[in-house]
Amino acid sequence: LSLNVRPKPSLSLSALGSTHFCSSGQVTLQTQEGYSNYIWKNGTQIITTASEPSLLANTNGDFYVSAQNDVGCKDTSNIITVTIDPDFALELGDDKFICPGDLVTIGQPIDNATYTWSSGQNTPTITVDNLGVFSLTATRGFCTHDDRIGVFLLAKGYRDGIGLACI
């Protein structure tokens, strides 16, 4: 009688990139090759049963994989948590035209975001009385967006014929 003892499979799951990203991101999760019937799960839900040792994750969750070797021994990997921050839109709108001495407030409040204006302020909105192009970078979690808006100064005495006048 001959007994061939093989070690129990030992699956180790790793991420090929960041596991925390903005909603348009994804990460490849990878385990060892050489097993059959990889069962990929997010929490308790089976995502797919595959013959491949990798999975493209693009949703929130706790991912792990189970597999068996060629003699039927099974193992389950460690858990990798994938966190996806919800995206947001940043839209400063159309350029603004002001008369000399006037002020205009520009910007867009976004819940739980941080702000960096080209003029140095770190607030959701700024009030300006000078001409220029102002850019805003807003960041929330791993999502970052940029937009810009022009503020133009009209000459004293300007009339546009539809109600705007600098007197």
Side-chain angles (χ1 to χ4, degrees), residues 24-104:
S24 60
Q26 57 192 18
V27 63
T28 299
L29 304 179
Q30 180 85 40
T31 192
Q32 297 94 320
E33 293 182 0
Y35 296 92
S36 62
N37 195 30
Y38 293 94
I39 300 171
W40 291 92
K41 292 185 177 182
N42 182 346
T44 59
Q45 180 181 356
I46 295 176
I47 300 167
T48 188
T49 300
S51 60
E52 297 298 319
S54 63
L55 175 78
L56 190 61
N58 58 7
T59 59
N60 282 313
D62 296 322
F63 292 84
Y64 60 98
V65 62
S66 298
Q68 67 183 40
N69 64 14
D70 59 347
V71 294
C73 296
K74 297 178 182 178
D75 193 28
T76 300
S77 73
N78 55 298
I79 293 173
I80 291 185
T81 299
V82 173
T83 305
I84 301 173
D85 291 329
D87 207 354
F88 62 92
L90 177 62
E91 176 58 53
L92 295 179
D94 295 332
D95 292 341
K96 305 292 183 192
F97 297 89
I98 61 173
C99 296
D102 286 350
L103 301 173
V104 63

